[in-house]
Amino acid sequence: MAATDWSGVYRENVDAVSALAGALDADDLALRVPATPDWTVQQVLAHLAGGPADLLAGRMDGAPSATWTARHVAEREDHSVPDLVAELHGSVDDLVAVLDGDDNSAIVWNLVVHHADLHEALGKGAPPEPMWRPVLDAIAPRMLGESAAAVDDVPDYELFRAIFSRRSRTQMIGWGPSLDPEWLDGLCIFGPRDYDQPIPEQARSEPA
């Protein structure tokens, strides 16, 4: 099997997030994004700019803890969206050089998952499949093992979101009566979620 072009995946997602951000108004930027630390859309953009900057600067102490990610947001509290997009784009060439030959890049997966978070919070549905498919193809065999056939009927995007803890227990149980709830809980990298997603109508007022 050919190695995944994670550099290409990263560039494509950066371009897509940048285009998405450039079209948002103040109300959009203030939306709460489910499955994040009660971040707004703008704060997610701050995290996406800050993660690569920290990686390139060697500021990885505590990564990927909540304290580490919160610093990205706090340090960019007064930054405009164009500034955040410029910072994200400005790190791309150096970042992809770091990615060369790395087939398990958390920084790419983080961007891809948050790209989908933004789409859902903004009521835009799933990002284009090429944006997230490589991550699912990389992570699903590790998480499913010999049980892959159990989720053959689950839409691939829903499986991608569930593995990264973006779907609730109730939603996953709804995939089929033969699925063991405890097994489904173990499928979620960050543990099962208690509320359904996506919930754009709630994102304006409810914490994640």
Side-chain angles (χ1 to χ4, degrees):
M1 180 182 294
T4 302
D5 177 16
W6 291 114
S7 295
V9 173
Y10 187 78
R11 287 186 186 277
E12 289 172 4
N13 274 271
V14 167
D15 288 344
V17 168
S18 300
L20 177 66
L24 302 180
D25 61 24
D27 288 340
D28 294 328
L29 293 169
L31 283 171
R32 296 288 169 178
V33 181
T36 68
D38 197 22
W39 287 339
T40 64
V41 168
Q42 181 154 348
Q43 288 170 328
V44 171
L45 296 174
H47 165 55
L48 292 179
D54 269 10
L55 177 60
L56 293 172
R59 300 176 70 195
M60 299 300 290
D61 290 350
S65 69
T67 301
W68 184 71
T69 59
R71 190 180 72 233
H72 304 155
V73 175
E75 290 179 346
R76 293 160 179 81
E77 183 177 1
D78 298 326
H79 291 200
S80 68
V81 169
D83 287 343
L84 297 174
V85 169
E87 183 179 13
L88 178 59
H89 263 286
S91 66
V92 167
D93 288 343
D94 288 338
L95 196 284
V96 298
V98 174
L99 294 176
D100 187 28
D102 185 355
D103 199 37
N104 183 22
S105 177
I107 199 74
V108 181
W109 295 12
N110 180 70
L111 172 63
V112 172
V113 171
H114 282 314
H115 182 190
D117 290 343
L118 292 173
H119 259 252
E120 291 189 2
L122 292 161
K124 295 182 178 295
E129 185 172 344
M131 300 291 176
W132 53 266
R133 165 66 64 180
V135 176
L136 176 63
D137 289 347
I139 193 65
R142 308 179 195 188
M143 300 302 293
L144 296 171
E146 297 179 356
S147 302
V151 292
D152 276 349
D153 294 332
V154 178
D156 288 346
Y157 179 73
E158 291 303 301
L159 182 61
F160 160 64
R161 297 299 279 159
I163 287 175
F164 285 94
S165 300
R166 265 59 179 182
R167 294 296 183 258
S168 71
R169 289 184 180 93
T170 300
Q171 287 174 301
M172 292 189 297
I173 290 171
W175 291 346
S178 64
L179 295 173
D180 176 40
E182 290 188 9
W183 179 79
L184 289 171
D185 281 358
L187 185 64
C188 306
I189 292 175
F190 305 109
R193 193 153 298 280
D194 293 329
Y195 56 85
D196 291 355
Q197 291 191 41
I199 48 172
E201 71 280 2
Q202 297 179 9
R204 296 181 183 273
S205 58
E206 291 190 6

